[in-house]
Amino acid sequence: MNDKDTRASRRARYALNTTGLGRVRISTWMPDEGRWGASLLQPSTTSGASRQIADLVTWLPNATDRKMADDFLDGGADDVAWFHCDREGSRWTVTVKLLVALGSPVLANFCLQYASPMDEMTAAHPLLARLRKLQSYDWTTPEYRDLCAELGFDPDRGRPRFARRHEEMGNEILHWIGTNMVESAGRARGLSVETHRQSLVLAESMMKALSADPACPPESPLFLEARIEHFPTGVLPCRDEFLALLANGDLDDPLPVTGAAPRPADLSVPIVFLPSRYGNGVSKQLTVGRHYDPDRWEDLGYGDLRGVALRPTDADLNALPATAIAHRVLLDQGVVFLTRDEALHYLDTEAMYWAHGPRKHLPLRLPRDLPLRRLTWRDKLAWKLGEPVLPIDQQLVRRENLDLHSRPVAKAA
């Protein structure tokens, strides 16, 4: 892999993208003192940066590491900074590059060697430790801008620009996206991962509609309005003000409308089903039309859903009408909903029988935060002696016997 032809081809490929070599820091282990030396900034130049990066990647000793490094660095990054740790003849490397996602800056870091010990790397480089601690930030966050200055990055590279009359609203939406991009921000608002993701994507669409960049075409206001109306005030930034702009015609429609008006995209409602007699554990995305007509569920293939599911949070039920209606319709169909605490107890008891017992359903595709405990010999012995007590399953059977809708029974997944 390290022959001359490979080096030449990699140099040529990197020369075609915009990758630039940022600042390089090296820290060396001092065995006599049992600590890392100072993180030293190396003299560097942007001249021939693509060639330098190509050589650094080419000389990685492991083919898997070279492939992962290429995937990370070939993405058109304009700035790349390097942190090296030298210890007993080995070199560990972390690269950092500035990306733009959802219109917001992201200081992404990546270990060139898969087995690099990040705790050692951050101990050796205080700047890297600061960067990894920075979670919620936007273009104006002082710590983000300070880090860019020390990394040798332009902190405004790729920053969206807005028409003067929309600048205040655009920057407010941009600030909201940047400081809410992490998943923990959605949890703090009581939203599911899916609802939080939808709010971020829609906020980006609002930001694009206000942008003054012709290379960043916005969606049609006809699409935007239908989608935004489903999110109440408080879930999206500047929701009411943005809808007022649409109502007043202050945003030009970039798409000519001929014939029938375009149909807005359906929203996706996440429902997590847990193992039960009706199916395995699975996260289903129920695609619901803009009017959420329960009569459509048969046509959409949801009319026969049964089983045990995780109850959406109150915040999710309030954030999207589709979620509240999906919850109500599934209740009417006989689905038993459990709160998170109830679901964790259920996974530790009854769900084990449906997941691993004689009537098991596989494969399991549960979210990582809803794990099943490990199967034990006691479980197997108890199941040989007879079916365990299953109170939640008894609820399901009673509801099914009522035959509320006279619908055929099918698995939840």
Side-chain angles (χ1 to χ4, degrees):
M1 287 295 295
N2 289 344
D3 57 32
K4 183 175 181 180
D5 290 339
T6 301
R7 292 198 300 275
S9 67
R10 183 171 272 113
R11 286 177 183 174
R13 188 174 70 255
Y14 273 93
L16 295 175
N17 68 27
T18 56
T19 302
L21 186 66
R23 296 179 180 176
V24 179
R25 287 173 170 78
I26 298 177
S27 181
T28 304
W29 178 255
M30 299 188 295
D32 294 340
E33 301 182 29
R35 65 179 181 86
W36 288 98
S39 179
L40 301 177
L41 180 63
Q42 302 298 299
S44 64
T45 174
T46 57
S47 176
S50 296
R51 174 172 177 167
Q52 294 177 57
I53 293 174
D55 286 341
L56 283 167
V57 174
T58 297
W59 286 109
L60 288 172
N62 184 283
T64 300
D65 290 339
R66 288 194 294 274
K67 175 64 168 62
M68 293 176 67
D70 276 337
D71 290 344
F72 182 76
L73 297 171
D74 266 350
D78 294 299
D79 299 296
V80 180
W82 302 77
F83 293 87
H84 298 300
C85 282
D86 294 338
R87 183 170 185 172
E88 299 171 355
S90 297
R91 166 164 284 190
W92 304 321
T93 300
V94 170
T95 60
V96 178
K97 68 177 181 178
L98 174 60
L99 302 173
V100 178
L102 297 175
S104 298
V106 177
L107 292 173
N109 61 90
F110 174 78
C111 298
L112 288 192
Q113 297 94 339
Y114 179 74
S116 295
M118 282 305 299
D119 55 342
E120 294 272 7
M121 301 291 289
T122 53
H125 295 284
L127 181 61
L128 182 61
R130 281 172 52 199
L131 184 149
R132 288 177 61 83
K133 287 180 180 178
L134 185 63
Q135 295 295 318
S136 296
Y137 55 95
D138 78 329
W139 300 100
T140 63
T141 303
E143 178 67 359
Y144 158 75
R145 301 188 72 83
D146 290 344
L147 284 170
C148 283
E150 295 192 55
L151 292 167
F153 298 166
D154 175 2
D156 293 313
R157 184 185 295 275
R159 182 174 181 174
R161 304 296 177 185
F162 302 100
R164 185 180 299 275
R165 67 185 187 282
H166 301 318
E167 193 168 10
E168 183 177 353
M169 185 185 300
N171 284 322
E172 185 174 343
I173 294 174
L174 206 56
H175 173 75
W176 183 90
I177 294 174
T179 54
N180 281 276
M181 282 181 66
V182 292
E183 188 176 306
S184 58
R187 290 197 300 270
R189 295 195 291 158
L191 301 176
S192 68
V193 173
E194 179 64 21
T195 303
H196 179 58
R197 182 193 66 80
Q198 288 187 30
S199 68
L200 285 170
V201 172
L202 188 48
E204 181 196 25
S205 297
M206 295 165 63
M207 178 270 296
K208 287 182 177 180
L210 303 172
S211 172
D213 184 0
C216 183
E219 295 180 55
S220 165
L222 286 172
F223 283 90
L224 274 176
E225 185 174 15
R227 294 168 61 199
I228 292 172
E229 286 176 343
H230 296 311
F231 284 81
T233 302
V235 177
L236 284 176
C238 305
R239 173 192 180 273
D240 296 341
E241 297 90 334
F242 190 87
L243 286 175
L245 282 182
L246 294 177
N248 295 332
D250 292 339
L251 293 177
D252 294 331
D253 191 339
L255 301 176
V257 179
T258 58
R263 182 178 182 271
D266 291 339
L267 289 179
S268 179
V269 178
I271 300 292
V272 177
F273 283 92
L274 308 176
S276 72
R277 69 167 53 236
Y278 297 117
N280 58 3
V282 62
S283 296
K284 291 184 70 68
Q285 298 292 333
L286 307 185
T287 302
V288 188
R290 64 174 300 195
H291 298 299
Y292 316 122
D293 183 357
D295 293 335
R296 291 188 59 211
W297 279 49
E298 292 286 357
D299 299 332
L300 295 171
Y302 305 142
D304 58 0
L305 287 176
R306 302 287 190 277
V308 181
L310 180 67
R311 182 185 184 275
T313 65
D314 290 340
D316 277 334
L317 293 172
N318 294 327
L320 284 175
T323 302
I325 293 178
H327 173 249
R328 175 175 57 77
V329 174
L330 289 174
L331 273 176
D332 291 343
Q333 289 181 184
V335 173
V336 173
F337 281 95
L338 304 178
T339 65
R340 179 164 291 275
D341 288 342
E342 292 170 340
L344 291 172
H345 176 72
Y346 176 79
L347 288 171
D348 201 41
T349 52
E350 290 186 52
M352 291 294 295
Y353 179 73
W354 303 113
H356 298 297
R359 299 172 62 180
K360 64 185 177 184
H361 299 288
L362 292 174
L364 295 174
R365 297 188 297 274
L366 286 169
R368 286 180 295 178
D369 60 341
L370 290 173
L372 279 171
R373 62 175 173 81
R374 294 178 65 88
L375 185 67
T376 68
W377 64 269
R378 289 187 177 86
D379 296 318
K380 296 178 181 179
L381 178 60
W383 297 336
K384 287 182 179 180
L385 298 176
E387 188 174 274
V389 177
L390 304 168
I392 299 298
D393 182 63
Q394 291 173 7
Q395 288 187 47
L396 285 173
V397 173
R398 284 196 299 269
R399 291 191 180 193
E400 189 61 39
N401 289 338
L402 290 175
D403 196 20
L404 294 177
H405 295 281
S406 299
R407 292 170 175 161
V409 178
K411 291 184 177 181

